[in-house]
Amino acid sequence: MILVEKILGNLAGTETNGRTVDVLDLDWFDTGKTTLRKKTRAGQEVGIRKDTTPLEDGDLLYLDQERAIAVNILPCECIVFKPQNFREMGTICFEIGNKHIPIFINEEAEVSVEFENPLYRLLEKYGYQPRREVRKLLKTHALTVRRHENKYNRVITIK
């Protein structure tokens, strides 16, 4: 078994120099776990023990002279829709957040969530024109809200 404790880079910015790239397929919800044990496509067992930084698509977990092991985030069935304005975006993200469903927003301001039939029907009912699509839910597109307090005020940060 290979034990991974830190990310070595990303395929997008790292040259593999002819190494064979073995792929570790992960579901989107596994990328935020701090401990994980899975097998690569070639059958190599990989144990991951890391900080809370989520894994990203293409992250390099292992490099030696002959091979590299990289993360592949598996696509899943999603609900995708595009709110028409900021008010709609705020309203629907608030409602989805109340259900504790992770929200992903891409560069085109499309909202994606893992498919759930009751939510899909609700979005249709209120005219959001949702679509069912298979997509990769990437942590780089995740909407996160954190509340920070200091002695002067409370600050809410949305990323």
Side-chain angles (χ1 to χ4, degrees):
M1 179 173 74
I2 294 172
L3 180 61
V4 175
E5 295 184 307
K6 66 178 183 175
I7 308 308
L8 304 175
N10 193 288
L11 281 177
T14 305
E15 186 62 41
T16 57
N17 295 326
R19 292 178 178 100
T20 302
V21 178
D22 191 3
V23 177
L24 181 67
D25 290 315
L26 296 176
D27 291 308
W28 69 269
F29 48 82
D30 285 334
T31 61
K33 294 180 178 176
T34 56
T35 57
L36 192 61
R37 192 172 183 164
K38 296 267 187 177
K39 286 189 178 183
T40 65
R41 289 182 186 172
Q44 175 66 56
E45 192 169 16
V46 177
I48 300 173
R49 183 175 57 214
K50 61 174 190 58
D51 62 14
T52 59
T53 305
L55 294 169
E56 295 182 21
D57 202 44
D59 276 350
L60 288 168
L61 305 177
Y62 177 80
L63 284 170
D64 67 17
Q65 296 300 321
E66 292 95 32
R67 68 181 170 153
I69 296 176
V71 171
N72 174 54
I73 299 174
L74 296 169
C76 66
E77 188 172 17
C78 298
I79 300 171
V80 180
F81 62 97
K82 187 170 184 172
Q84 299 303 305
N85 54 50
F86 285 119
R87 183 182 186 102
E88 280 188 9
M89 178 71 81
T91 300
I92 198 60
C93 286
F94 179 80
E95 291 301 325
I96 293 171
N98 275 342
K99 298 177 184 302
H100 301 280
I101 298 171
I103 301 168
F104 299 82
I105 302 173
N106 66 15
E107 293 82 9
E108 292 83 35
E110 291 178 313
V111 176
S112 300
V113 296
E114 187 171 25
F115 185 82
E116 180 186 87
N117 201 42
L119 178 59
Y120 186 84
R121 288 194 314 262
L122 181 73
L123 291 168
E124 279 184 319
K125 178 181 174 181
Y126 288 108
Y128 285 99
Q129 301 175 340
R131 310 181 303 277
R132 287 174 85 157
E133 293 183 13
V134 174
R135 288 191 173 188
K136 287 186 178 190
L137 294 176
L138 304 175
K139 291 290 184 182
T140 53
H141 293 148
L143 177 65
T144 57
V145 178
R146 292 193 172 90
R147 182 177 174 192
H148 308 280
E149 292 186 31
N150 59 33
K151 64 181 182 179
Y152 302 109
N153 59 13
R154 293 183 185 132
V155 178
I156 296 177
T157 305
I158 300 175
K159 293 182 177 183

